[in-house]
Amino acid sequence: MKWQKVLLSTLQRQQGKNIALAVDTSTNEVNSELIDNIVTLFKEVNPETKLVQSDFKIRKISSIEEADIIYFKHGKSSYTEVLEWGEEEKVDLLFYITDVTGYFYEDLQVNYDVMWLVPNDFIPKVPFGKTLKIA
């Protein structure tokens, strides 16, 4: 099954739940058109989604309707703040677009589902949750 169908069916099953989409903005070497298309899918299927832009810290949290993603060049990424934010906000499922090369505190407890959306052919081992290659 193509990744688009997997993502769509996963999103459809989340109707009425608290979901968020995080975008790793630590590099400008990304397929921004692909990410824009994913954001559009979230807008159409679940317009209540929160959008989190983060690199080594959270840069912006907004409604998915207000998506204006800004990318950086430094390449540093940490998942800790976003994962802690998800816990505080009682997120049911966090989708995270990233190459999974960032870091997080190893003793961090994540008590909700995470789906790593990886825009590369190479998928590193994720610390928890599920991965979906979106390349």
Side-chain angles (χ1 to χ4, degrees):
M1 183 183 297
K2 291 192 172 212
W3 69 264
Q4 294 94 333
K5 289 182 181 179
V6 172
L7 183 57
L8 177 60
S9 66
T10 302
L11 268 176
Q12 289 171 329
R13 288 193 308 270
Q14 302 306 313
Q15 293 294 332
K17 293 188 177 176
N18 185 12
I19 67 169
L21 173 64
V23 178
D24 178 352
T25 59
S26 65
T27 180
N28 62 354
E29 296 178 15
V30 296
N31 183 341
S32 59
E33 183 179 351
L34 172 65
I35 294 172
D36 290 346
N37 288 337
I38 291 171
V39 168
T40 298
L41 176 66
F42 275 76
K43 282 182 191 179
E44 293 174 3
V45 176
N46 196 326
E48 302 299 319
T49 302
K50 292 281 189 231
L51 176 66
V52 181
Q53 297 180 51
S54 180
D55 45 32
F56 58 86
K57 65 180 182 176
I58 293 176
R59 297 287 183 166
K60 183 176 180 182
I61 299 171
S62 66
S63 158
I64 198 79
E65 299 287 337
E66 301 167 11
D68 183 23
I69 300 172
I70 299 170
Y71 297 97
F72 298 89
K73 296 180 182 181
H74 53 70
K76 297 176 187 170
S77 183
S78 171
Y79 308 125
T80 302
E81 277 193 36
V82 174
L83 295 170
E84 289 175 339
W85 172 86
E87 191 73 35
E88 291 168 10
E89 294 295 313
K90 298 183 178 13
V91 168
D92 295 308
L93 176 56
L94 173 70
F95 295 87
Y96 212 132
I97 301 174
T98 181
D99 58 8
V100 196
T101 58
Y103 61 92
F104 63 97
Y105 296 131
E106 290 199 19
D107 60 346
L108 183 67
Q109 295 292 315
V110 178
N111 298 310
Y112 55 90
D113 293 326
V114 177
M115 181 174 276
W116 304 92
L117 305 177
V118 184
N120 297 331
D121 287 326
F122 173 72
I123 301 178
K125 185 176 189 283
V126 296
F128 45 80
K130 298 178 181 174
T131 59
L132 181 60
K133 183 171 91 170
I134 58 172

